[in-house]
Structures are given as C-alpha cells and as structure tokens.
Amino acid sequence: MKAIGYHRPLPIAEADSLIDIVVDTPTPTGRDLLVRVEAVSVNPVDVKLRGGVAPADGALRVLGFDAAGTVEAVGPEVTGFRPGDAVFYAGAIDRPGTNSEFHLVDERIAGPKPRSLGFAEAAALPLTAITAWEMLFDRLGLVRGGEDGRSLLIVGGAGGVGSMAIQLARKLTNIRVIATASRPETAAWVRELGAHDVIDHNGAMPEQIRALGLSGVEAVFSTNATDRHFPALVEIVAPQGRIGLIDDPAPIDVRLLKRKSVSLHWELMFTRSLFQTADIAEQRALLAEVSRLVDDGTLRTTLTETLGRIDAATLRRAHALIESGTARGKIVLAGF
C-alpha cells in the first residue's frame, strides 16, 4: 500500500522531510479495524514529531492521526463495527499513522462517521473534538446544560482545538465563551463559531478581560504559548478557578497559582490509548456523540481547506502551513 513517512527530522522545506513509500498492508488482529483511509487532517502533533523526534533505530515512521474511511476488515474480537462501516478517529501515538492507504485502529477509539458529512469534512474533527471535549468536561469540569453566570477563556480560539472548544462550550453549556484571536480573519472565525467575546492574545489580556466587565474567569483553556501567557492567565483566572493546557510550554511557575487556590490540568487525548485505561472506550462513545451532534446541526466541521490528495508533496505543504502559525480551523487531504 502507499504511505508517507520520514526517516529523520528535517526542515519541511527539504524534499526528504516527508517521502512517498510502499509498505505491506497490515492485517487486523484482536480489536483492530482495518480502515481504507479516504481523508486525513494535519495537526500540530504531526509537525512536532516530524520536526523533532527521530524514529527508533533509523526506521521509517508513518505519521498522521486524524482519519475518516471505510472498514475493510475486522479483528476476531471486534464487536462494534463490521466491513463497510464508515468511521472517523484520531488514532494512537504509539502505532503507525494514518498517512497510508490502509490503517489499523482499535475499535474502542473509533466512532461512526457523521452521516451528513463527506470523508474530508469528517476527517477534520476527531483529534480536536476529543481534545476539546476531554479538557472541557473531564479536566475543567464544565457541566452540560449548566455554568450559568460563569466564564471561560480559550487562548488560541481560531486553531483546530480552539475551534471545537468554542462550539462545544457554547452549544452544550451556558458559560460565557471568550476566545483570543490576533487577526481580523481569525476574530471573525471565532465569532462565527459562537464566541461571545474576542480579545487579542498579543495585547494585555487582563485589561481586555476587565474591559468586558469581568473581574476574572472561572476556567481557562490554553491551547498554545502557555509559558508566554502564564502570568497573565494567573491574573485573569478567578479564585478557586481552573487552568487547562495542551501544549508543551517552557517551565512555568505553578507557585503563582497558590494564592488563588487555582488548579492546573493537563490534557493529552492519547493517554487512554497509550495506557490502555479501563475507560478507553469512552473515546468511541465521545466520537459517537460528536457524530450525532454534527448530524443534528449542533456542531459543524472545522475544515477550512482541502489541499489535495494524500502524498508527500501535499503533506509538506500542509506541515508548512501549520508551522507558519497562520492556519485557521483544519487542513485536510483526501484520496490517494
């Protein structure tokens, strides 16, 4: 089968940073689904791994996490899917990736593709939806249908995760959603997704929060540059509030949180699959709920651009766009 991978970390401008290859088609065992990949999206984790993590022993690594496709075959222990089912999922960080014609995924972390979306539109959703959902409801403790009178700040609202977090918080809770954006087009995007208010993360955020009539916010979701923004976030968060982050910041001084009794929460959507936690199947349930919410019009895809087919040249373009820091929503590739 066709696949795209890398042998060693290289700048994305170099032709060998991602290469087209041919590898054996895998065989499903256990609870695995063998999926014919129809579309993939590119996430910051792809860029981080390709640019900084060398494959073990010089082997070639196939990247890619988000995918939408059709089940071709199933392992002997699979109970939730059968050949012909359309699925979408975000994969596992410790297994070969989705940048391949066929891909193995544990059925417990895959969900039924939204019927109302094409494969490209669906591929934009899984990783960001899981990350945003787990942060909002599992880590920050937001209550569906609740949160009246409370506020949430999402730093980096126009990115893939921020774009899903805005929708989930706005549609499923009554919390006031404040998103950060630094350009007119990204500010317009986060408002379109449902943010009540928009502030500029390149400006003085505490002053902008006070200008909204707020003395603080009960919850903060930081998607990037947490180390740069941390002192401001500590000032913004309300006493006994919560701060959640998903990036890999330079060291931050968590002692600043003590005076306000603020808690700090990490989110990594790969934790359940990495450690085969007892609740690993919660991700299948989560994706099934996201699929339902898309089909009933509550949520929308965050696809903003389909670059072309799934090959090394197009993936290099996608990685370069992510590295530029100007991407809005999600970038998708479709078809081999």
Side-chain angles (χ1 to χ4, degrees):
M1 66 176 183
K2 296 177 182 177
I4 300 94
Y6 75 107
H7 285 290
R8 64 188 189 280
L10 291 170
I12 196 59
E14 296 197 22
D16 288 343
S17 59
L18 289 168
I19 59 174
D20 293 303
I21 56 172
V22 175
V23 296
D24 292 336
T25 301
T27 300
T29 59
R31 302 192 70 165
D32 278 343
L33 310 175
L34 177 67
V35 177
R36 178 186 292 273
V37 175
E38 302 289 350
V40 301
S41 71
V42 181
N43 293 281
V45 63
D46 297 88
V47 173
K48 176 185 173 183
L49 291 171
R50 187 224 79 241
V53 179
D57 301 321
L60 183 136
R61 178 170 186 172
V62 175
L63 289 174
F65 298 99
D66 278 328
T70 305
V71 176
E72 287 283 313
V74 300
E77 299 174 26
V78 169
T79 60
F81 298 95
R82 59 186 180 183
D85 287 345
V87 295
F88 73 147
Y89 56 89
I93 201 166
D94 58 346
R95 301 187 70 176
T98 60
N99 295 335
S100 57
E101 285 187 279
F102 296 91
H103 182 252
L104 292 178
V105 63
D106 189 312
E107 67 162 334
R108 294 170 294 177
I109 60 172
K113 182 185 76 66
R115 295 185 303 275
S116 59
L117 298 183
F119 287 108
E121 295 170 307
L125 293 172
L127 186 147
T128 56
I130 295 170
T131 301
W133 188 292
E134 290 184 348
M135 175 61 83
L136 293 175
F137 301 113
D138 297 344
R139 315 296 178 225
L140 295 178
L142 300 193
V143 177
R144 290 183 68 170
E147 306 302 329
D148 299 79
R150 294 162 63 86
S151 299
L152 164 71
L153 173 65
I154 300 172
V155 180
V161 173
S163 295
M164 285 306 302
I166 291 169
Q167 294 187 74
L168 290 170
R170 180 64 191 269
K171 297 290 188 176
L172 302 185
T173 79
N174 300 320
I175 206 162
R176 181 176 179 178
V177 180
I178 306 160
T180 78
S182 60
R183 293 177 286 132
E185 59 268 33
T186 52
W189 172 254
V190 299
R191 289 190 188 278
E192 181 183 335
L193 292 172
H196 293 92
D197 306 285
V198 183
I199 65 173
D200 185 351
H201 47 251
N202 289 331
M205 289 196 289
E207 287 83 349
Q208 294 176 76
I209 291 292
R210 287 191 286 270
L212 296 175
L214 297 171
S215 59
V217 302
E218 286 73 22
V220 174
F221 185 169
S222 180
T223 69
N224 56 49
T226 298
D227 51 335
R228 178 160 62 91
H229 298 308
F230 195 66
L233 301 183
V234 173
E235 184 176 346
I236 288 167
V237 70
Q240 302 183 91
R242 297 184 176 195
I243 297 176
L245 59 151
I246 59 172
D247 58 338
D248 298 291
I252 54 177
D253 187 357
V254 297
R255 295 173 299 180
L256 298 174
L257 303 175
K258 181 178 180 180
R259 188 165 180 264
K260 288 185 174 180
S261 297
V262 168
S263 56
L264 187 69
H265 302 263
W266 288 96
E267 161 61 20
L268 179 69
M269 62 133 291
F270 298 117
T271 295
R272 282 174 161 140
S273 57
L274 268 173
F275 294 96
Q276 294 288 294
T277 60
D279 65 349
I280 185 174
E282 285 299 311
Q283 288 196 343
R284 179 170 64 187
L286 189 165
L287 286 173
E289 177 69 354
V290 168
S291 186
R292 184 188 70 79
L293 292 168
V294 169
D295 286 337
D296 73 12
T298 301
L299 300 176
R300 54 174 280 190
T301 182
T302 52
L303 166 65
T304 53
E305 187 171 8
T306 303
L307 285 186
R309 69 177 189 170
I310 306 167
D311 61 19
T314 312
L315 274 169
R316 286 195 294 271
R317 288 173 55 208
H319 279 232
L321 279 171
I322 297 290
E323 288 183 351
S324 75
T326 61
R328 176 176 59 89
K330 291 301 294 294
I331 300 166
V332 171
L333 289 71
F336 282 88

